[in-house]
Amino acid sequence: MALSFTKLKFSRVRAPVGQVLAVDAGKRRIKLLLAKNDFGQLSIIKEEAINLAEEGLVSADEINAHLQTVLDQWGRPALALVLPQHLSISQVVDLPLAPEREVEKLIQDETIKLSGVSDSRIVYDFVRTETQTANRQQFWVTLCQEGDIRERIQRLGVENEDLCEITTTANALIAAFRAASPLTSRAVLVHAGAQTTVVVILLAGQGAFATSFQMGGDFFTRALARERGWAEEKAENLRRSEDLLNGPKADPELVAAVDGWSAELKRQLNDWFEHNSGGAHASSFEMIASGGLFDQPGLLEYLKRKAGMSLQPWPKASQPDTPSPGKGFEVAFGTALQALGYSAQPVSLLPENYRVAWQKRLWLERLEFASFALAGICALLLALGTWHKMSLINFKTALRDKVTAGQQDVYANDSLTADLINEYESLRPVFAAQQNTMDVLKSLSLLQQSRSNRSLWYVLVADQQTYFSANPPMLITNAQTNAVATMAERLSHLFGSPLLGLTNSSTAKPGLIAELCVPEEPEAARVALSHIVKELKQQKLFSKVDLLSDDLRRNLAEPKVTIPDRDFVLSLDFSELEFQQSLRKKNPRSTPRATARQTSSATDDGG
């Protein structure tokens, strides 16, 4: 006889993000629990218990057909099955320190010792546990004959489904309890169903012992039915509805059955505490009850009073983000936890062909998930790029609108400026004439003051443009200094717009030509003339006061009032007037609209 082994590493088949349907099939009920792992957020979607008797499901074919209908309704998620504990062996294996590559060979040798000689292949899995023993290492090992596993799969009719996990009742209880009460390090889990009672001991929060014995609710029912001569169904209903263990209604046969069950439970526990507890006392362990057996009225009170076992109901989850399964779904919940990768002590017994098929599905789903993730990232990047482009477009559009509005404001401002300039240009000659008149009057006043206490007289006063013009000069002559006022009145009418610009002669500038006679000796005449020029230069009215060169002189004065060699001509240049320059020259910028308006205005003026 040859032994063959199949070793499965749980990390290779951990389910991807998605859903898993845990199937806990018992003699009377099939419990289904659909759980979902949504990116680290665990949730229970649906729970359902199928009562085989009430549904009329007697044969395997009927059970298979009904289960297939349920799978269709639930979307055919991946399945995780619970293997009855009596078909497997779970035990702590103590090994010497050895390299990782030798550990599997050592565990395989221990597996042979545990399983004995068999023609069936052995499927086993193991997980390292903590130990305080020096130079030793411990492993939690679970094994089962592959034939029993495949028979279980065929009985449920799911051999063609996607199986992602198969674990035992004991390992499922460990996963469920650690999720509900992670801080409890020592506990005895007693799970009693219709036919089997499973006992699991946790030490330091890890599985340390697991066993089962074939005594459960049916054992109590048969004892009560034999005593009363009833059918088992009627005895079952009575047992579940009334307290037949305490008080005057206590049934001796049922009490004896319960005593036998509790004695077997104590024997299993005492044997382990005696040889494997490492000095730990049973009183330091919490006892947790689960399963349909403990729905019997008065059972927990009787066990505490008669057997001294204080069994507590299954605890609610202590963590707010951990869901709590419904009563009776603890094993199914623990199976789903392991399938979704939430078990700290995972042990899987999935046969090799199912493992390979599940690995392929995992890789395909991961590839699909990666593809969807990549597509989502691309879509997100595209959306961000589009948003960025739209933001730029909106920004540029807003900037363009702002620039356009600014340009319109500039055009409006230029148009208004052009209108103002046109209006100003129409009034500028008037202002210039007024200013020129004031300058001429002030100049005449200064010339009159300059002859005070001096023996001189002015024989000619003329504007430079008239003086240098070839046309007949416009003269203001007066040999009598007392006639200055009359001369100023005439000049105010003669000095108009022609004074605003130069004539064709480049010599003429805005200002006056003053010709005077100084009847003194040459030296005295020059001194007097120098004083007059100096006094006039101090006036801000003039930018330049100087004698006119002989080549520029004009013989315009009346010879009768002049003295040869005593006649001098002064050139008096006015300081630059504010109205001499056009604003169009100062503001050369012109928009088409402004230019058009100016042209129109000029046309109107010229027409």
Side-chain angles (χ1 to χ4, degrees):
M1 295 183 183
L3 293 177
S4 61
F5 298 87
T6 299
K7 171 67 183 74
L8 174 64
K9 288 294 184 182
F10 176 78
S11 59
R12 298 177 185 172
V13 295
R14 182 163 296 174
V17 175
Q19 297 180 356
V20 63
L21 177 60
V23 181
D24 179 17
K27 179 182 178 181
R28 291 190 175 89
R29 288 180 178 84
I30 297 178
K31 298 173 184 177
L32 306 175
L33 184 143
L34 183 62
K36 181 179 181 181
N37 177 15
D38 192 2
F39 295 98
Q41 184 64 38
L42 179 66
S43 60
I44 298 175
I45 301 176
K46 187 182 296 186
E47 296 174 340
E48 182 176 335
I50 302 175
N51 192 313
L52 301 180
E54 292 178 359
E55 297 290 341
L57 305 177
V58 179
S59 65
D61 293 338
E62 292 174 340
I63 295 175
N64 296 344
H66 186 81
L67 188 58
Q68 291 297 321
T69 302
V70 173
L71 292 177
D72 289 334
Q73 294 174 352
W74 290 17
R76 291 199 169 273
L79 299 183
L81 304 184
V82 180
L83 193 66
Q85 187 63 34
H86 69 274
L87 299 178
S88 64
I89 298 175
S90 295
Q91 187 169 325
V92 173
V93 174
D94 186 77
L95 300 175
L97 294 178
E100 290 294 331
R101 62 180 179 272
E102 298 180 10
V103 168
E104 187 169 349
K105 180 63 172 63
L106 294 174
I107 291 178
Q108 184 174 330
D109 294 339
E110 290 294 328
T111 302
I112 295 174
K113 298 178 183 178
L114 292 174
S115 62
V117 179
S118 174
D119 292 332
S120 176
R121 297 180 64 186
I122 302 299
V123 180
Y124 71 101
D125 196 8
F126 61 89
V127 62
R128 185 185 297 274
T129 60
E130 296 181 3
T131 179
Q132 302 297 327
T133 306
N135 300 323
R136 303 293 292 179
Q137 55 183 341
Q138 290 184 348
F139 296 87
W140 175 254
V141 180
T142 298
L143 58 95
C144 182
Q145 293 185 8
E146 185 174 345
D148 293 338
I149 298 175
R150 294 189 179 277
E151 181 183 357
R152 187 71 175 178
I153 295 173
Q154 293 176 356
R155 182 181 301 175
L156 294 174
V158 294
E159 59 271 12
N160 295 322
E161 303 297 327
D162 289 325
L163 294 179
C164 66
E165 184 62 275
I166 295 179
T167 191
T168 64
T169 303
N171 287 289
L173 286 171
I174 293 173
F177 182 76
R178 293 195 62 174
S181 183
L183 300 180
T184 302
S185 61
R186 295 182 176 185
V188 176
L189 309 181
V190 181
H191 181 78
Q195 295 180 323
T196 306
T197 298
V198 180
V199 181
V200 182
I201 297 178
L202 274 72
L203 183 62
Q206 305 170 112
F209 173 72
T211 188
S212 65
F213 55 92
Q214 297 300 305
M215 296 177 68
D218 288 352
F219 176 72
F220 297 166
T221 300
R222 286 192 295 268
L224 185 61
R226 284 195 304 268
E227 179 195 11
R228 303 200 177 190
W230 291 355
E232 290 188 7
E233 182 178 357
K234 182 178 180 180
E236 176 75 12
N237 293 333
L238 178 63
R239 181 179 70 83
R240 286 182 171 274
S241 60
E242 295 185 18
D243 184 0
L244 302 177
L245 299 174
N246 304 289
K249 292 184 178 182
D251 187 279
E253 285 294 328
L254 183 59
V255 170
V258 172
D259 291 341
W261 177 86
S262 63
E264 179 61 21
L265 176 59
K266 284 186 175 182
R267 186 188 69 80
Q268 298 280 0
L269 294 175
N270 291 336
D271 183 67
W272 183 84
F273 279 108
E274 183 178 353
H275 299 94
N276 302 288
S277 65
H281 195 268
S283 60
S284 63
F285 287 73
E286 293 185 19
M287 298 192 70
I288 307 298
S290 63
L293 175 66
F294 295 102
D295 292 338
Q296 179 176 337
L299 178 59
L300 294 179
E301 292 83 351
Y302 178 81
L303 292 175
K304 183 177 181 180
R305 174 176 57 83
K306 187 69 179 293
M309 293 186 295
S310 180
L311 288 165
Q312 304 298 323
W314 191 268
K316 294 292 183 181
S318 59
Q319 300 297 327
D321 56 345
T322 302
S324 296
K327 188 175 182 180
F329 288 88
E330 297 84 4
V331 175
F333 180 61
T335 304
L337 287 175
Q338 180 167 313
L340 293 174
Y342 283 90
S343 175
Q345 193 173 345
V347 176
S348 178
L349 299 179
L350 198 65
E352 183 176 2
N353 62 321
Y354 289 104
R355 173 172 56 87
V356 173
W358 181 244
Q359 286 177 340
K360 291 181 179 180
R361 173 175 169 176
L362 281 183
W363 284 114
L364 288 176
E365 290 193 4
R366 288 168 181 167
L367 182 60
E368 292 176 358
F369 178 78
S371 300
F372 281 119
L374 181 60
I377 292 174
C378 292
L380 178 61
L381 293 177
L382 180 61
L384 290 176
T386 304
W387 172 80
H388 180 65
K389 291 296 183 183
M390 291 301 297
S391 298
L392 290 178
I393 291 174
N394 293 335
F395 173 75
K396 291 182 178 180
T397 302
L399 185 61
R400 183 192 63 189
D401 295 340
K402 188 175 182 180
V403 171
T404 301
Q407 289 177 340
Q408 295 298 328
D409 292 341
V410 170
Y411 293 155
N413 184 67
D414 288 346
S415 177
L416 179 60
T417 302
D419 293 341
L420 293 175
I421 289 176
N422 290 334
E423 294 178 6
Y424 173 76
E425 288 297 328
S426 64
L427 297 175
R428 188 168 65 87
V430 178
F431 297 149
Q434 290 179 352
Q435 182 66 43
N436 189 72
T437 301
M438 293 175 62
D439 291 345
V440 169
L441 293 175
K442 188 174 182 179
S443 299
L444 293 176
S445 176
L446 292 173
L447 292 176
Q448 184 179 5
Q449 293 177 11
S450 66
R451 61 179 297 276
S452 300
N453 301 323
R454 289 190 179 97
S455 59
L456 58 90
W457 63 89
Y458 289 92
V459 297
L460 173 68
V461 177
D463 65 276
Q464 292 190 20
Q465 293 174 345
T466 303
Y467 185 81
F468 292 114
S469 174
N471 295 327
M474 299 174 63
L475 302 177
I476 303 176
T477 61
N478 191 348
Q480 304 294 331
T481 57
N482 295 331
V484 173
T486 304
M487 186 185 304
E489 182 179 357
R490 294 181 60 189
L491 289 175
S492 64
H493 295 286
L494 296 175
F495 295 162
S497 56
L499 294 177
L500 296 176
L502 296 176
T503 64
N504 295 333
S505 175
S506 61
T507 305
K509 297 180 180 180
L512 299 178
I513 299 296
E515 188 173 346
L516 70 159
C517 287
V518 183
E520 300 288 348
E521 292 298 327
E523 184 65 29
R526 285 192 294 273
V527 171
L529 185 62
S530 175
H531 284 298
I532 292 174
V533 171
K534 184 176 180 181
E535 290 175 359
L536 293 177
K537 281 185 176 181
Q538 294 176 354
Q539 300 297 324
K540 293 182 179 180
L541 175 63
F542 305 110
S543 63
K544 180 181 178 182
V545 180
D546 201 357
L547 287 174
L548 188 66
S549 62
D550 293 339
D551 58 330
L552 297 178
R553 293 185 59 170
R554 301 288 190 271
N555 295 322
L556 301 179
E558 179 64 38
K560 296 179 180 181
V561 296
T562 61
I563 301 176
D565 300 330
R566 297 293 184 271
D567 185 49
F568 304 95
V569 180
L570 297 178
S571 175
L572 307 175
D573 295 345
F574 288 152
S575 298
E576 186 176 357
L577 298 177
E578 181 180 357
F579 308 106
Q580 288 177 349
Q581 292 186 1
S582 173
L583 288 182
R584 293 192 183 95
K585 297 181 180 179
K586 295 182 180 180
N587 299 275
R589 184 183 64 188
S590 177
T591 63
R593 180 181 176 187
T595 303
R597 293 186 60 135
Q598 292 172 11
T599 304
S600 175
S601 176
T603 303
D604 295 340
D605 294 341

